[in-house]
């Protein structure tokens, strides 16, 4: 039987909403702009959080549908939607069970979400279903590193998940994207930075893949 989907992370949600703006000033803004560059038409964003991506969608994006299961974050996203250029609809739903028709989006976006979904395989199958053939999945996701860092991520995975809203440090998200049938067109490691200096540790994969 499939694992139950979880959406109640009230303490994490408030901490995340408070701390996320600091990440924007520390360089996340540039990554978000690169993540979304060149998109157009109808876009689905899963796990939109407080809507930090919304103001970075390029003008050719007409409509963004955001799926956000956590109530506190969803309300933040609805507030952010008011300042967005595109039409935005924010839905209370999970990536694993999208209440959306087949082949209805030109692109989908996942930033720091595939680490936290309950079932990556199901979420990616749903993304594949709702994207039109040739549609793109844009992703920015932290993944398991190799060597000692990877072993540390394995050790910290359980306690980290308890404080970080079910986030997993050691998922092989790139392999999961490929296993779901997406074809990766471009991808690079964009490590987090502190005062402009790249931090060693988690690999942060920024890329695009398409539905064949
Ligand atoms: C670290 S936050 C990232 C938020 C946002 N994407 C960003 O880039 O700032 C992870 C987000 O994934 C959402 N999430 C967790 N499980 C999910 C699921 N099964 N389906 C959709 N979103 C989920 C959380 O509620 C949270 O908003």
């Amino acid at each position: 039987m499939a694992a139950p989907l979880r959406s109640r992370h009230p303490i994490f949600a408030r901490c995340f909403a408070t701390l996320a703006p600091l990440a924007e000033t520390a360089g996340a803004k540039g990554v978000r702009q690169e993540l979304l560059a060149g998109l157009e038409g109808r876009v689905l964003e899963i796990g939109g959080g407080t809507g930090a991506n919304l103001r970075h969608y390029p003008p050719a994006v007409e409509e963004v549908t955001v799926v956000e299961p956590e109530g506190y974050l969803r309300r933040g996203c609805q507030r952010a939607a008011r300042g967005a250029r595109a039409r935005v609809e924010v839905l209370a739903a999970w990536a694993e069970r999208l209440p959306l028709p087949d082949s209805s989006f030109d692109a989908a976006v996942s930033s720091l979400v595939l680490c936290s979904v309950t079932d990556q395989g199901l979420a990616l199958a749903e993304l594949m279903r709702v994207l039109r053939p040739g549609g793109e999945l844009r992703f920015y996701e932290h993944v398991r590193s190799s060597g000692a860092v990877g072993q540390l991520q394995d050790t910290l995975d359980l306690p980290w998940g308890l404080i970080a809203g079910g986030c997993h440090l050691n998922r092989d998200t790139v392999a999961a994207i490929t296993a779901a049938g997406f074809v990766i067109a471009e991808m690079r490691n964009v490590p987090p930075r502190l005062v402009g200096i790249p931090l060693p540790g988690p690999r942060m994969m920024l890329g695009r893949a398409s539905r064949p």
Side-chain angles (χ1 to χ4, degrees):
M1 198 167 77
L5 301 174
R6 295 179 297 265
S7 60
R8 291 284 302 144
H9 296 292
I11 297 172
F12 163 75
R14 282 156 180 81
C15 294
F16 179 77
T18 305
L19 295 175
L22 298 178
E24 302 306 300
T25 49
K29 183 178 155 195
V31 176
R32 293 187 191 281
Q33 286 166 344
E34 188 176 341
L35 173 73
L36 306 174
L39 290 180
E40 52 186 39
R42 293 195 72 204
V43 179
L44 167 68
E45 181 172 337
I46 57 164
T50 53
N53 283 329
L54 290 178
R55 63 181 172 279
H56 301 301
Y57 279 96
V61 171
E62 291 151 18
E63 198 176 317
V64 183
T65 300
V66 183
V67 163
E68 174 49 62
E70 215 294 323
Y72 182 83
L73 295 175
R74 190 169 58 251
R75 287 189 288 283
C77 192
Q78 281 157 342
R79 281 193 295 277
R82 291 182 209 130
R85 197 166 16 206
R87 266 193 318 280
V88 180
E89 182 183 26
V90 184
L91 303 178
W94 291 276
E96 293 91 335
R97 207 179 290 160
L98 295 172
L100 297 163
D102 295 358
S103 304
S104 51
F105 291 92
D106 299 300
V109 172
S110 175
S111 62
L112 309 174
V113 178
L114 290 170
C115 53
S116 297
V117 296
T118 308
D119 187 325
Q120 261 194 346
L122 262 186
L124 285 160
E126 279 290 84
L127 288 171
M128 181 69 90
R129 179 182 68 76
V130 302
L131 272 176
R132 64 165 170 76
E136 263 192 354
L137 169 64
R138 298 286 183 96
F139 57 92
Y140 181 56
E141 298 287 347
H142 61 83
V143 301
R144 189 183 187 281
S145 298
S146 54
V149 174
Q151 284 165 12
L152 186 64
Q153 287 172 311
D154 292 340
T155 306
L156 296 178
D157 189 61
L158 181 62
W160 176 251
L162 294 175
I163 59 169
C167 170
H168 291 273
L169 291 171
N170 61 354
R171 283 187 170 170
D172 189 351
T173 300
V174 174
I177 290 171
T178 307
F182 286 98
V183 178
I184 293 181
E186 201 181 332
M187 184 174 67
R188 65 191 181 92
N189 181 17
V190 181
R193 290 170 177 268
L194 195 61
V195 288
I197 302 162
L199 295 176
R203 288 162 65 228
M204 310 278 294
M205 305 312 294
L206 174 66
R208 57 191 181 90
S210 59
R211 174 182 168 176

